[in-house]
Amino acid sequence: MGFFSKRPEIDHDEQERRYEEAKREGGRILSGIRDRIEDGTATREDKRILNATLKRGSRIK
């Protein structure tokens, strides 16, 4: 940022912490979806999310 910039300063530590927490939450959600698929109680939305994750997982970091 420039000296006269009107944008607020970015707290990189806070941003990294939120990113890591979002990754953990996503992992918990996917684990729940996999459990529901294994026991046969998954909805169409669960299957859609899992398929999108499997197809796009290698492209999203």
Short mmCIF file of all heavy atoms in Angstrom, two decimals:
data_model
loop_
_atom_site.label_atom_id
_atom_site.label_comp_id
_atom_site.label_asym_id
_atom_site.label_seq_id
_atom_site.Cartn_x
_atom_site.Cartn_y
_atom_site.Cartn_z
N MET A 1 0.82 -1.17 0.00
CA MET A 1 0.00 0.00 0.00
C MET A 1 0.88 1.24 0.00
O MET A 1 1.91 1.29 0.64
CB MET A 1 -0.86 0.04 1.26
CG MET A 1 -2.00 -0.93 1.27
SD MET A 1 -3.21 -0.28 0.17
CE MET A 1 -3.70 -1.73 -0.63
N GLY A 2 0.39 2.22 -0.68
CA GLY A 2 1.11 3.49 -0.70
C GLY A 2 0.89 4.27 0.59
O GLY A 2 0.00 3.97 1.38
N PHE A 3 1.69 5.25 0.76
CA PHE A 3 1.64 6.06 1.98
C PHE A 3 0.29 6.77 2.12
O PHE A 3 -0.24 6.90 3.21
CB PHE A 3 2.79 7.08 1.96
CG PHE A 3 2.89 7.87 3.20
CD1 PHE A 3 3.35 7.31 4.37
CD2 PHE A 3 2.49 9.20 3.22
CE1 PHE A 3 3.43 8.05 5.54
CE2 PHE A 3 2.58 9.95 4.38
CZ PHE A 3 3.05 9.37 5.54
N PHE A 4 -0.28 7.22 1.01
CA PHE A 4 -1.53 7.97 1.05
C PHE A 4 -2.75 7.11 0.70
O PHE A 4 -3.81 7.63 0.41
CB PHE A 4 -1.46 9.15 0.09
CG PHE A 4 -0.44 10.16 0.50
CD1 PHE A 4 0.76 10.25 -0.16
CD2 PHE A 4 -0.68 11.00 1.58
CE1 PHE A 4 1.71 11.19 0.22
CE2 PHE A 4 0.26 11.93 1.97
CZ PHE A 4 1.47 12.03 1.29
N SER A 5 -2.60 5.82 0.74
CA SER A 5 -3.70 4.94 0.38
C SER A 5 -4.83 5.03 1.39
O SER A 5 -4.61 5.14 2.59
CB SER A 5 -3.20 3.49 0.32
OG SER A 5 -4.28 2.64 0.04
N LYS A 6 -6.06 4.98 0.89
CA LYS A 6 -7.24 5.03 1.76
C LYS A 6 -7.69 3.64 2.17
O LYS A 6 -8.59 3.50 2.99
CB LYS A 6 -8.38 5.75 1.06
CG LYS A 6 -8.07 7.21 0.81
CD LYS A 6 -9.22 7.90 0.16
CE LYS A 6 -8.77 9.29 -0.21
NZ LYS A 6 -9.71 10.31 0.11
N ARG A 7 -7.09 2.61 1.61
CA ARG A 7 -7.47 1.25 1.96
C ARG A 7 -6.88 0.89 3.33
O ARG A 7 -5.77 1.28 3.65
CB ARG A 7 -6.96 0.26 0.92
CG ARG A 7 -7.59 0.48 -0.44
CD ARG A 7 -7.04 -0.45 -1.45
NE ARG A 7 -7.67 -1.74 -1.30
CZ ARG A 7 -7.27 -2.83 -1.93
NH1 ARG A 7 -6.22 -2.81 -2.71
NH2 ARG A 7 -7.90 -3.97 -1.76
N PRO A 8 -7.63 0.16 4.12
CA PRO A 8 -7.11 -0.22 5.45
C PRO A 8 -5.96 -1.21 5.32
O PRO A 8 -5.87 -1.96 4.35
CB PRO A 8 -8.31 -0.85 6.14
CG PRO A 8 -9.21 -1.27 5.05
CD PRO A 8 -8.98 -0.33 3.89
N GLU A 9 -5.11 -1.21 6.32
CA GLU A 9 -3.99 -2.12 6.36
C GLU A 9 -4.50 -3.56 6.49
O GLU A 9 -5.46 -3.82 7.21
CB GLU A 9 -3.10 -1.79 7.56
CG GLU A 9 -1.79 -2.50 7.59
CD GLU A 9 -0.82 -2.03 6.54
OE1 GLU A 9 -0.90 -0.86 6.13
OE2 GLU A 9 0.03 -2.84 6.13
N ILE A 10 -3.88 -4.49 5.81
CA ILE A 10 -4.29 -5.89 5.86
C ILE A 10 -3.53 -6.58 6.98
O ILE A 10 -2.31 -6.50 7.07
CB ILE A 10 -3.99 -6.59 4.52
CG1 ILE A 10 -4.82 -5.99 3.40
CG2 ILE A 10 -4.25 -8.09 4.64
CD1 ILE A 10 -4.47 -6.51 2.03
N ASP A 11 -4.28 -7.25 7.84
CA ASP A 11 -3.67 -8.05 8.90
C ASP A 11 -3.47 -9.46 8.35
O ASP A 11 -4.40 -10.26 8.31
CB ASP A 11 -4.57 -8.07 10.12
CG ASP A 11 -3.96 -8.82 11.29
OD1 ASP A 11 -2.81 -9.28 11.17
OD2 ASP A 11 -4.64 -8.96 12.31
N HIS A 12 -2.27 -9.75 7.90
CA HIS A 12 -1.99 -11.02 7.23
C HIS A 12 -2.14 -12.21 8.17
O HIS A 12 -2.57 -13.28 7.74
CB HIS A 12 -0.60 -11.00 6.60
CG HIS A 12 -0.49 -10.03 5.48
ND1 HIS A 12 -1.08 -10.24 4.26
CD2 HIS A 12 0.11 -8.82 5.40
CE1 HIS A 12 -0.84 -9.21 3.47
NE2 HIS A 12 -0.11 -8.33 4.14
N ASP A 13 -1.80 -12.04 9.43
CA ASP A 13 -1.96 -13.14 10.39
C ASP A 13 -3.43 -13.49 10.57
O ASP A 13 -3.81 -14.67 10.61
CB ASP A 13 -1.34 -12.77 11.73
CG ASP A 13 0.17 -12.64 11.65
OD1 ASP A 13 0.78 -13.30 10.77
OD2 ASP A 13 0.74 -11.88 12.44
N GLU A 14 -4.28 -12.47 10.70
CA GLU A 14 -5.72 -12.70 10.84
C GLU A 14 -6.29 -13.33 9.57
O GLU A 14 -7.12 -14.24 9.65
CB GLU A 14 -6.43 -11.37 11.14
CG GLU A 14 -7.92 -11.47 11.23
CD GLU A 14 -8.40 -12.29 12.40
OE1 GLU A 14 -7.64 -12.47 13.36
OE2 GLU A 14 -9.55 -12.76 12.35
N GLN A 15 -5.86 -12.86 8.43
CA GLN A 15 -6.32 -13.41 7.16
C GLN A 15 -5.92 -14.88 7.03
O GLN A 15 -6.74 -15.71 6.62
CB GLN A 15 -5.73 -12.60 6.01
CG GLN A 15 -6.30 -12.92 4.66
CD GLN A 15 -5.70 -12.03 3.58
OE1 GLN A 15 -4.56 -11.58 3.68
NE2 GLN A 15 -6.47 -11.77 2.56
N GLU A 16 -4.72 -15.23 7.41
CA GLU A 16 -4.24 -16.61 7.36
C GLU A 16 -5.03 -17.48 8.34
O GLU A 16 -5.38 -18.62 8.03
CB GLU A 16 -2.75 -16.67 7.68
CG GLU A 16 -2.15 -18.04 7.60
CD GLU A 16 -2.07 -18.60 6.20
OE1 GLU A 16 -2.10 -17.81 5.23
OE2 GLU A 16 -1.99 -19.83 6.07
N ARG A 17 -5.31 -16.95 9.53
CA ARG A 17 -6.07 -17.69 10.53
C ARG A 17 -7.48 -18.01 10.03
O ARG A 17 -7.97 -19.13 10.16
CB ARG A 17 -6.16 -16.90 11.83
CG ARG A 17 -6.78 -17.69 12.98
CD ARG A 17 -7.10 -16.81 14.17
NE ARG A 17 -8.06 -15.76 13.88
CZ ARG A 17 -9.37 -15.96 13.69
NH1 ARG A 17 -9.87 -17.18 13.75
NH2 ARG A 17 -10.18 -14.95 13.45
N ARG A 18 -8.13 -17.01 9.41
CA ARG A 18 -9.47 -17.24 8.87
C ARG A 18 -9.45 -18.25 7.73
O ARG A 18 -10.35 -19.08 7.61
CB ARG A 18 -10.08 -15.92 8.38
CG ARG A 18 -10.71 -15.15 9.51
CD ARG A 18 -11.53 -13.99 9.01
NE ARG A 18 -10.67 -12.81 9.07
CZ ARG A 18 -10.61 -11.88 8.14
NH1 ARG A 18 -11.36 -11.93 7.08
NH2 ARG A 18 -9.80 -10.86 8.28
N TYR A 19 -8.41 -18.20 6.89
CA TYR A 19 -8.28 -19.13 5.78
C TYR A 19 -8.13 -20.57 6.30
O TYR A 19 -8.79 -21.49 5.82
CB TYR A 19 -7.08 -18.73 4.92
CG TYR A 19 -6.75 -19.70 3.82
CD1 TYR A 19 -7.59 -19.83 2.72
CD2 TYR A 19 -5.61 -20.48 3.88
CE1 TYR A 19 -7.29 -20.72 1.71
CE2 TYR A 19 -5.30 -21.36 2.87
CZ TYR A 19 -6.14 -21.48 1.79
OH TYR A 19 -5.85 -22.37 0.80
N GLU A 20 -7.27 -20.76 7.29
CA GLU A 20 -7.06 -22.09 7.86
C GLU A 20 -8.34 -22.60 8.54
O GLU A 20 -8.67 -23.79 8.42
CB GLU A 20 -5.91 -22.08 8.86
CG GLU A 20 -4.55 -21.85 8.23
CD GLU A 20 -4.16 -22.95 7.26
OE1 GLU A 20 -4.51 -24.12 7.52
OE2 GLU A 20 -3.51 -22.63 6.25
N GLU A 21 -9.06 -21.74 9.22
CA GLU A 21 -10.31 -22.14 9.86
C GLU A 21 -11.35 -22.54 8.81
O GLU A 21 -12.08 -23.53 9.00
CB GLU A 21 -10.86 -21.00 10.72
CG GLU A 21 -12.17 -21.31 11.41
CD GLU A 21 -12.11 -22.52 12.31
OE1 GLU A 21 -11.08 -22.75 12.96
OE2 GLU A 21 -13.12 -23.26 12.37
N ALA A 22 -11.41 -21.83 7.70
CA ALA A 22 -12.34 -22.18 6.62
C ALA A 22 -11.98 -23.53 6.02
O ALA A 22 -12.88 -24.33 5.68
CB ALA A 22 -12.34 -21.09 5.55
N LYS A 23 -10.69 -23.82 5.89
CA LYS A 23 -10.27 -25.12 5.37
C LYS A 23 -10.68 -26.24 6.32
O LYS A 23 -11.14 -27.29 5.88
CB LYS A 23 -8.75 -25.15 5.15
CG LYS A 23 -8.32 -24.45 3.88
CD LYS A 23 -6.83 -24.36 3.70
CE LYS A 23 -6.06 -25.60 3.92
NZ LYS A 23 -4.64 -25.49 3.64
N ARG A 24 -10.52 -26.01 7.63
CA ARG A 24 -10.93 -27.03 8.61
C ARG A 24 -12.43 -27.26 8.55
O ARG A 24 -12.90 -28.40 8.61
CB ARG A 24 -10.51 -26.61 10.01
CG ARG A 24 -9.04 -26.84 10.30
CD ARG A 24 -8.74 -26.68 11.77
NE ARG A 24 -8.87 -25.32 12.23
CZ ARG A 24 -7.92 -24.39 12.15
NH1 ARG A 24 -6.75 -24.70 11.62
NH2 ARG A 24 -8.13 -23.18 12.59
N GLU A 25 -13.20 -26.17 8.44
CA GLU A 25 -14.66 -26.29 8.37
C GLU A 25 -15.07 -27.05 7.11
O GLU A 25 -15.96 -27.89 7.15
CB GLU A 25 -15.30 -24.90 8.40
CG GLU A 25 -16.80 -24.91 8.32
CD GLU A 25 -17.46 -25.55 9.52
OE1 GLU A 25 -16.85 -25.59 10.59
OE2 GLU A 25 -18.60 -26.03 9.37
N GLY A 26 -14.44 -26.76 6.00
CA GLY A 26 -14.73 -27.48 4.76
C GLY A 26 -14.42 -28.96 4.88
O GLY A 26 -15.17 -29.80 4.38
N GLY A 27 -13.33 -29.29 5.55
CA GLY A 27 -13.00 -30.69 5.77
C GLY A 27 -14.03 -31.40 6.62
O GLY A 27 -14.39 -32.56 6.36
N ARG A 28 -14.54 -30.71 7.64
CA ARG A 28 -15.59 -31.30 8.50
C ARG A 28 -16.86 -31.53 7.69
O ARG A 28 -17.52 -32.57 7.83
CB ARG A 28 -15.87 -30.40 9.68
CG ARG A 28 -14.80 -30.46 10.76
CD ARG A 28 -15.25 -29.77 12.04
NE ARG A 28 -15.34 -28.33 11.90
CZ ARG A 28 -14.37 -27.48 12.21
NH1 ARG A 28 -13.24 -27.93 12.66
NH2 ARG A 28 -14.55 -26.19 12.07
N ILE A 29 -17.21 -30.58 6.84
CA ILE A 29 -18.42 -30.73 6.02
C ILE A 29 -18.28 -31.91 5.07
O ILE A 29 -19.18 -32.74 4.93
CB ILE A 29 -18.72 -29.42 5.26
CG1 ILE A 29 -19.17 -28.34 6.24
CG2 ILE A 29 -19.78 -29.65 4.19
CD1 ILE A 29 -19.25 -26.96 5.63
N LEU A 30 -17.12 -32.01 4.40
CA LEU A 30 -16.92 -33.12 3.47
C LEU A 30 -16.89 -34.46 4.18
O LEU A 30 -17.39 -35.46 3.66
CB LEU A 30 -15.62 -32.92 2.69
CG LEU A 30 -15.69 -31.93 1.54
CD1 LEU A 30 -14.32 -31.77 0.90
CD2 LEU A 30 -16.69 -32.40 0.51
N SER A 31 -16.33 -34.49 5.37
CA SER A 31 -16.33 -35.74 6.14
C SER A 31 -17.75 -36.17 6.46
O SER A 31 -18.10 -37.36 6.35
CB SER A 31 -15.53 -35.54 7.42
OG SER A 31 -15.55 -36.70 8.19
N GLY A 32 -18.59 -35.22 6.83
CA GLY A 32 -19.99 -35.53 7.10
C GLY A 32 -20.72 -36.03 5.86
O GLY A 32 -21.52 -36.97 5.93
N ILE A 33 -20.42 -35.41 4.72
CA ILE A 33 -21.05 -35.84 3.46
C ILE A 33 -20.60 -37.26 3.11
O ILE A 33 -21.43 -38.10 2.73
CB ILE A 33 -20.71 -34.86 2.32
CG1 ILE A 33 -21.46 -33.54 2.53
CG2 ILE A 33 -21.05 -35.46 0.96
CD1 ILE A 33 -21.06 -32.45 1.56
N ARG A 34 -19.32 -37.54 3.27
CA ARG A 34 -18.83 -38.91 2.98
C ARG A 34 -19.49 -39.93 3.90
O ARG A 34 -19.85 -41.03 3.46
CB ARG A 34 -17.32 -38.96 3.11
CG ARG A 34 -16.60 -38.31 1.97
CD ARG A 34 -15.10 -38.58 2.01
NE ARG A 34 -14.45 -37.90 0.92
CZ ARG A 34 -13.68 -36.83 1.06
NH1 ARG A 34 -13.44 -36.34 2.26
NH2 ARG A 34 -13.14 -36.25 0.01
N ASP A 35 -19.66 -39.59 5.16
CA ASP A 35 -20.33 -40.50 6.10
C ASP A 35 -21.77 -40.76 5.67
O ASP A 35 -22.24 -41.90 5.70
CB ASP A 35 -20.32 -39.92 7.52
CG ASP A 35 -18.93 -39.92 8.13
OD1 ASP A 35 -18.04 -40.63 7.61
OD2 ASP A 35 -18.73 -39.18 9.12
N ARG A 36 -22.48 -39.71 5.26
CA ARG A 36 -23.87 -39.88 4.82
C ARG A 36 -23.95 -40.70 3.54
O ARG A 36 -24.89 -41.49 3.38
CB ARG A 36 -24.55 -38.53 4.64
CG ARG A 36 -24.85 -37.83 5.96
CD ARG A 36 -25.77 -36.66 5.79
NE ARG A 36 -25.23 -35.58 4.99
CZ ARG A 36 -24.45 -34.60 5.46
NH1 ARG A 36 -24.12 -34.58 6.73
NH2 ARG A 36 -24.00 -33.66 4.67
N ILE A 37 -22.99 -40.55 2.64
CA ILE A 37 -23.00 -41.34 1.41
C ILE A 37 -22.76 -42.81 1.75
O ILE A 37 -23.40 -43.70 1.18
CB ILE A 37 -21.96 -40.80 0.40
CG1 ILE A 37 -22.48 -39.49 -0.20
CG2 ILE A 37 -21.67 -41.81 -0.69
CD1 ILE A 37 -21.53 -38.79 -1.12
N GLU A 38 -21.84 -43.08 2.67
CA GLU A 38 -21.55 -44.47 3.05
C GLU A 38 -22.75 -45.15 3.70
O GLU A 38 -22.99 -46.32 3.45
CB GLU A 38 -20.35 -44.52 3.99
CG GLU A 38 -19.03 -44.27 3.30
CD GLU A 38 -17.87 -44.26 4.27
OE1 GLU A 38 -18.07 -44.53 5.47
OE2 GLU A 38 -16.75 -43.97 3.81
N ASP A 39 -23.49 -44.42 4.53
CA ASP A 39 -24.62 -45.08 5.20
C ASP A 39 -25.93 -44.93 4.43
O ASP A 39 -26.97 -45.40 4.88
CB ASP A 39 -24.77 -44.63 6.65
CG ASP A 39 -25.15 -43.17 6.80
OD1 ASP A 39 -25.58 -42.54 5.83
OD2 ASP A 39 -25.02 -42.66 7.94
N GLY A 40 -25.90 -44.30 3.27
CA GLY A 40 -27.07 -44.25 2.39
C GLY A 40 -28.07 -43.16 2.69
O GLY A 40 -29.19 -43.21 2.18
N THR A 41 -27.72 -42.17 3.48
CA THR A 41 -28.68 -41.11 3.82
C THR A 41 -28.36 -39.78 3.12
O THR A 41 -28.91 -38.76 3.49
CB THR A 41 -28.72 -40.88 5.34
OG1 THR A 41 -27.41 -40.50 5.77
CG2 THR A 41 -29.17 -42.13 6.07
N ALA A 42 -27.49 -39.81 2.12
CA ALA A 42 -27.08 -38.58 1.44
C ALA A 42 -28.20 -38.04 0.56
O ALA A 42 -28.96 -38.79 -0.03
CB ALA A 42 -25.84 -38.84 0.61
N THR A 43 -28.27 -36.73 0.48
CA THR A 43 -29.23 -36.08 -0.40
C THR A 43 -28.58 -35.81 -1.76
O THR A 43 -27.38 -36.01 -1.93
CB THR A 43 -29.69 -34.74 0.21
OG1 THR A 43 -28.55 -33.88 0.30
CG2 THR A 43 -30.29 -34.93 1.58
N ARG A 44 -29.37 -35.35 -2.69
CA ARG A 44 -28.82 -34.97 -4.00
C ARG A 44 -27.80 -33.85 -3.86
O ARG A 44 -26.79 -33.82 -4.55
CB ARG A 44 -29.93 -34.51 -4.94
CG ARG A 44 -30.78 -35.62 -5.48
CD ARG A 44 -31.78 -35.05 -6.43
NE ARG A 44 -31.11 -34.85 -7.71
CZ ARG A 44 -31.63 -35.16 -8.87
NH1 ARG A 44 -32.84 -35.65 -8.92
NH2 ARG A 44 -30.97 -34.96 -9.98
N GLU A 45 -28.08 -32.93 -2.95
CA GLU A 45 -27.17 -31.81 -2.72
C GLU A 45 -25.82 -32.31 -2.18
O GLU A 45 -24.77 -31.83 -2.60
CB GLU A 45 -27.80 -30.83 -1.73
CG GLU A 45 -27.01 -29.58 -1.51
CD GLU A 45 -26.98 -28.64 -2.69
OE1 GLU A 45 -27.75 -28.83 -3.65
OE2 GLU A 45 -26.16 -27.71 -2.67
N ASP A 46 -25.84 -33.29 -1.29
CA ASP A 46 -24.60 -33.88 -0.79
C ASP A 46 -23.79 -34.47 -1.92
O ASP A 46 -22.57 -34.26 -2.02
CB ASP A 46 -24.90 -34.98 0.24
CG ASP A 46 -25.43 -34.44 1.55
OD1 ASP A 46 -25.23 -33.24 1.83
OD2 ASP A 46 -26.04 -35.23 2.30
N LYS A 47 -24.44 -35.22 -2.78
CA LYS A 47 -23.75 -35.85 -3.90
C LYS A 47 -23.21 -34.81 -4.88
O LYS A 47 -22.11 -34.96 -5.42
CB LYS A 47 -24.68 -36.83 -4.61
CG LYS A 47 -25.03 -38.02 -3.73
CD LYS A 47 -26.04 -38.92 -4.38
CE LYS A 47 -26.46 -40.02 -3.41
NZ LYS A 47 -27.51 -40.85 -3.95
N ARG A 48 -23.98 -33.74 -5.09
CA ARG A 48 -23.53 -32.67 -5.97
C ARG A 48 -22.27 -32.01 -5.42
O ARG A 48 -21.31 -31.75 -6.15
CB ARG A 48 -24.64 -31.64 -6.15
CG ARG A 48 -24.33 -30.57 -7.17
CD ARG A 48 -25.36 -29.46 -7.15
NE ARG A 48 -25.30 -28.68 -5.93
CZ ARG A 48 -24.38 -27.75 -5.66
NH1 ARG A 48 -23.42 -27.50 -6.53
NH2 ARG A 48 -24.40 -27.09 -4.54
N ILE A 49 -22.26 -31.73 -4.13
CA ILE A 49 -21.10 -31.10 -3.51
C ILE A 49 -19.89 -32.01 -3.59
O ILE A 49 -18.78 -31.57 -3.91
CB ILE A 49 -21.42 -30.72 -2.04
CG1 ILE A 49 -22.45 -29.59 -1.99
CG2 ILE A 49 -20.15 -30.33 -1.29
CD1 ILE A 49 -23.00 -29.32 -0.62
N LEU A 50 -20.07 -33.30 -3.30
CA LEU A 50 -18.95 -34.23 -3.36
C LEU A 50 -18.39 -34.34 -4.77
O LEU A 50 -17.17 -34.31 -4.96
CB LEU A 50 -19.37 -35.60 -2.85
CG LEU A 50 -18.22 -36.60 -2.75
CD1 LEU A 50 -17.23 -36.18 -1.68
CD2 LEU A 50 -18.74 -37.99 -2.48
N ASN A 51 -19.26 -34.44 -5.77
CA ASN A 51 -18.78 -34.54 -7.15
C ASN A 51 -18.03 -33.28 -7.57
O ASN A 51 -17.00 -33.37 -8.23
CB ASN A 51 -19.95 -34.80 -8.10
CG ASN A 51 -20.43 -36.22 -8.04
OD1 ASN A 51 -19.68 -37.12 -7.66
ND2 ASN A 51 -21.69 -36.43 -8.38
N ALA A 52 -18.54 -32.12 -7.20
CA ALA A 52 -17.85 -30.87 -7.53
C ALA A 52 -16.49 -30.81 -6.86
O ALA A 52 -15.51 -30.36 -7.45
CB ALA A 52 -18.70 -29.68 -7.13
N THR A 53 -16.42 -31.29 -5.63
CA THR A 53 -15.15 -31.29 -4.90
C THR A 53 -14.15 -32.22 -5.56
O THR A 53 -12.97 -31.89 -5.69
CB THR A 53 -15.37 -31.70 -3.44
OG1 THR A 53 -16.32 -30.82 -2.86
CG2 THR A 53 -14.09 -31.65 -2.66
N LEU A 54 -14.60 -33.39 -5.96
CA LEU A 54 -13.69 -34.35 -6.58
C LEU A 54 -13.18 -33.84 -7.93
O LEU A 54 -12.02 -34.04 -8.27
CB LEU A 54 -14.40 -35.70 -6.76
CG LEU A 54 -14.76 -36.43 -5.48
CD1 LEU A 54 -15.55 -37.69 -5.79
CD2 LEU A 54 -13.51 -36.76 -4.68
N LYS A 55 -14.05 -33.19 -8.69
CA LYS A 55 -13.66 -32.68 -10.00
C LYS A 55 -12.76 -31.45 -9.91
O LYS A 55 -11.83 -31.30 -10.68
CB LYS A 55 -14.89 -32.32 -10.83
CG LYS A 55 -15.66 -33.52 -11.30
CD LYS A 55 -16.88 -33.09 -12.08
CE LYS A 55 -17.73 -34.28 -12.45
NZ LYS A 55 -18.95 -33.88 -13.13
N ARG A 56 -13.05 -30.57 -8.94
CA ARG A 56 -12.34 -29.30 -8.86
C ARG A 56 -11.25 -29.29 -7.79
O ARG A 56 -10.50 -28.32 -7.70
CB ARG A 56 -13.34 -28.18 -8.55
CG ARG A 56 -14.38 -28.00 -9.63
CD ARG A 56 -15.35 -26.96 -9.25
NE ARG A 56 -14.69 -25.71 -9.01
CZ ARG A 56 -15.27 -24.65 -8.46
NH1 ARG A 56 -16.52 -24.71 -8.10
NH2 ARG A 56 -14.60 -23.55 -8.26
N GLY A 57 -11.15 -30.33 -7.01
CA GLY A 57 -10.24 -30.35 -5.88
C GLY A 57 -8.79 -30.11 -6.24
O GLY A 57 -8.06 -29.45 -5.52
N SER A 58 -8.36 -30.64 -7.36
CA SER A 58 -6.95 -30.48 -7.75
C SER A 58 -6.66 -29.06 -8.26
O SER A 58 -5.53 -28.63 -8.24
CB SER A 58 -6.58 -31.50 -8.81
OG SER A 58 -7.33 -31.27 -9.98
N ARG A 59 -7.70 -28.36 -8.70
CA ARG A 59 -7.49 -27.00 -9.23
C ARG A 59 -7.59 -25.93 -8.18
O ARG A 59 -7.13 -24.82 -8.37
CB ARG A 59 -8.51 -26.71 -10.33
CG ARG A 59 -8.27 -27.56 -11.57
CD ARG A 59 -9.24 -27.17 -12.64
NE ARG A 59 -10.54 -27.77 -12.31
CZ ARG A 59 -11.66 -27.45 -12.90
NH1 ARG A 59 -11.69 -26.52 -13.82
NH2 ARG A 59 -12.79 -28.03 -12.56
N ILE A 60 -8.23 -26.22 -7.06
CA ILE A 60 -8.42 -25.24 -6.01
C ILE A 60 -7.45 -25.54 -4.87
O ILE A 60 -7.43 -26.63 -4.34
CB ILE A 60 -9.87 -25.27 -5.47
CG1 ILE A 60 -10.82 -24.94 -6.60
CG2 ILE A 60 -10.03 -24.29 -4.32
CD1 ILE A 60 -12.27 -25.08 -6.22
N LYS A 61 -6.67 -24.57 -4.52
CA LYS A 61 -5.70 -24.74 -3.43
C LYS A 61 -6.06 -23.84 -2.28
O LYS A 61 -6.48 -22.77 -2.39
CB LYS A 61 -4.28 -24.39 -3.90
CG LYS A 61 -3.82 -25.30 -5.02
CD LYS A 61 -3.57 -26.68 -4.51
CE LYS A 61 -3.12 -27.56 -5.65
NZ LYS A 61 -3.11 -28.89 -5.42
#
